[in-house]
Amino acid sequence: MQVNDALNLVREKFTAESNGETAGDVSDRYQNAFSEFPVTMEVATHVLAVQLIQHNMAQQMQAQQEAQQPQGDGSPS
C-alpha cells in the first residue's frame, strides 16, 4: 500500500466517523489495511492529523485577522 492510498483511506474513515458512520465498507477497508500495513497506516494517520491541525490554525488566524480589521459601512466620510 502506498502512503497516498493510505492517506485517502484514513481521510475517508475520518469523514465517515465525523458523520456518525462507524461500520460499513470504509470501516472494513480501514481495519483490513491497518492489519496488513500497520506502519503505513500509522504514518498516514499522523499526516492527516498534521494537515487538520494546520488547516484549523489557518482558519483561526484568518478569523483573528478579520476580527482585527476596522468595521465600517464602506461609505466615504
Side-chain angles (χ1 to χ4, degrees), residues 1-54:
M1 172 173 271
Q2 299 294 316
V3 175
N4 282 337
D5 297 330
L7 182 57
N8 288 333
L9 183 54
V10 171
R11 189 176 288 119
E12 282 183 68
K13 178 67 169 149
F14 179 82
T15 301
E17 285 185 10
S18 297
N19 294 325
E21 300 170 24
T22 57
D25 178 59
V26 173
S27 184
D28 294 343
R29 288 188 292 124
Y30 178 83
Q31 293 299 327
N32 290 338
F34 240 109
S35 294
E36 292 182 42
F37 308 100
V39 174
T40 303
M41 292 299 288
E42 288 287 347
V43 169
T45 301
H46 179 76
V47 169
L48 181 64
V50 169
Q51 289 176 348
L52 289 170
I53 291 167
Q54 289 174 338

